[in-house]
Amino acid sequence: AGEPKQKPAHVMKQRLRIYTIQVPVAKSVLDLYDYVDARAVVALLVHKCGQVIFDKGLEEARSLVEDWVINLMGEYTTHLNRRLLAAGDKVVDPDVEFKECKALDSVPYYVYGMLRGDVFSRRCISENADKWVYLFCAYTSNPPKDIVHAFYPALSIYSENRVYRKNPLSRDFLKETGGNVYMVDTFFKVVVYYTREGQAAVEFPPPHDGIIRRDIGHIRMSRGTAPLVVFLREGIDDPRLFEDLLLEEAAKAGSGSPADYGFGPFMDVMRTEVQAFLEEEAS
């Protein structure tokens, strides 16, 4: 008789683990808005735009994004002012900036930055299609909490041992604040810009035990893709790498979007379109 077959020491089994979680039911639609993850919403929007770009082109995808954000602003304003509209009155100033909803107040910035970025750049596709494909793959494969910085970079201001985060990417705002050092996180790059005042007040390059280095280290350690770090000094290095990140200024090259004229004019167009949306809904 042959030798008995040996049984394998380990057996691989696939199991399905089910979790039961109790979730409270929202009392109104406004409660749903208050608990939205804006970063996840924008990440899903990018995925949806990709399919439209491949099937129908950039212009159709850009129009889709603009219509989407107008509908979001319009529906939110409708629910926010339901009693006013039910009484037959009109909304004079729609809340397109989501001042009453902290969960959504970053959405206009993300959408604005998306329309200004390489995703909808025909020039980027025509000059270097491989770069566009790489960027789109990065946008759709990285966590939403990280990739939103590629749409609207995070600006931190270091001044007199204080740090101010989540600042507008506006040249006028920087003139008013007068910070010593600016750091812009664009996901792919971290640009640290020393003003003339900063060069006199803060050590260059920043010391390894300083807060700037700690912030850079935290960014690099928390991501799957480590960004390139660039240090610039006003009056010594070429400032265009930093100035090009001030997205709230008017674009140097137009793409056919209201975002080409700057963030302020873009929001003015959104406000006008939302007013038209509300009037159409009322009729």
Side-chain angles (χ1 to χ4, degrees):
E3 296 181 358
K5 295 182 179 181
Q6 294 182 353
K7 294 183 178 181
H10 304 282
V11 178
M12 183 70 71
K13 293 184 178 180
Q14 185 176 6
R15 298 179 182 274
L16 179 63
R17 178 170 293 180
I18 300 175
Y19 291 93
T20 302
I21 302 176
Q22 183 178 5
V23 179
V25 178
K27 296 180 180 179
S28 69
V29 176
L30 293 177
D31 290 340
L32 298 179
Y33 287 117
D34 289 336
Y35 289 93
V36 167
D37 187 334
R39 299 171 300 183
V41 170
V42 172
L44 289 172
L45 183 62
V46 174
H47 281 266
K48 186 174 183 179
C49 287
Q51 191 60 46
V52 177
I53 291 174
F54 298 140
D55 293 342
K56 300 181 180 180
L58 285 175
E59 288 74 15
E60 184 66 24
R62 187 187 301 116
S63 178
L64 170 70
V65 173
E66 293 171 359
D67 290 344
W68 176 86
V69 74
I70 290 169
N71 288 336
L72 174 64
M73 294 172 174
E75 292 291 346
Y76 172 75
T77 301
T78 298
H79 290 290
L80 187 64
N81 299 274
R82 183 168 297 279
R83 292 183 180 180
L84 181 68
L85 295 172
D89 295 328
K90 294 183 178 180
V91 178
V92 178
D93 186 18
D95 185 14
V96 297
E97 298 175 354
F98 299 102
K99 295 178 180 179
E100 300 295 329
C101 182
K102 295 299 181 182
L104 289 174
D105 61 0
S106 57
V107 168
Y109 294 93
Y110 293 152
V111 172
Y112 168 80
M114 189 189 307
L115 293 171
R116 282 283 296 267
D118 291 327
V119 173
F120 296 107
S121 173
R122 181 164 294 282
R123 179 180 178 182
C124 180
I125 294 180
S126 60
E127 291 182 354
N128 193 337
D130 290 340
K131 177 184 176 182
W132 186 91
V133 172
Y134 163 75
L135 292 174
F136 185 78
C137 290
Y139 295 156
T140 54
S141 61
N142 282 278
K145 67 179 182 64
D146 296 334
I147 204 60
V148 290
H149 296 304
F151 302 137
Y152 192 89
L155 170 62
S156 299
I157 300 176
Y158 301 84
S159 179
E160 298 180 356
N161 297 322
R162 293 187 177 184
V163 184
Y164 304 91
R165 306 192 189 279
K166 296 184 179 180
N167 300 288
L169 295 169
S170 165
R171 186 174 284 106
D172 292 337
F173 177 81
L174 296 185
K175 290 179 180 179
E176 294 175 1
T177 56
N180 292 331
V181 180
Y182 304 121
M183 186 175 76
V184 186
D185 175 13
T186 72
F187 179 74
F188 298 105
K189 292 181 181 179
V190 173
V191 179
V192 181
Y193 184 77
Y194 278 67
T195 64
R196 287 187 172 87
E197 295 78 7
Q199 296 173 46
V202 183
E203 183 180 349
F204 181 90
H208 289 279
D209 59 347
I211 186 172
I212 297 177
R213 287 284 189 183
R214 288 201 301 268
D215 287 348
I216 293 174
H218 175 73
I219 291 172
R220 303 190 72 175
M221 290 295 294
S222 64
R223 293 183 183 166
T225 303
L228 175 68
V229 181
V230 182
F231 296 100
L232 302 174
R233 292 163 293 179
E234 184 180 7
I236 300 176
D237 302 306
D238 189 347
R240 287 178 294 180
L241 181 60
F242 171 73
E243 293 174 350
D244 289 345
L245 299 176
L246 302 178
L247 293 185
E248 295 198 14
E249 307 301 323
K252 295 180 180 179
S255 63
S257 169
D260 295 340
Y261 304 100
F263 185 73
F266 170 76
M267 293 302 291
D268 291 338
V269 173
M270 294 297 102
R271 187 171 287 102
T272 301
E273 293 293 336
V274 171
Q275 286 283 16
F277 174 91
L278 295 174
E279 292 176 1
E280 183 177 351
E281 290 291 311
S283 61

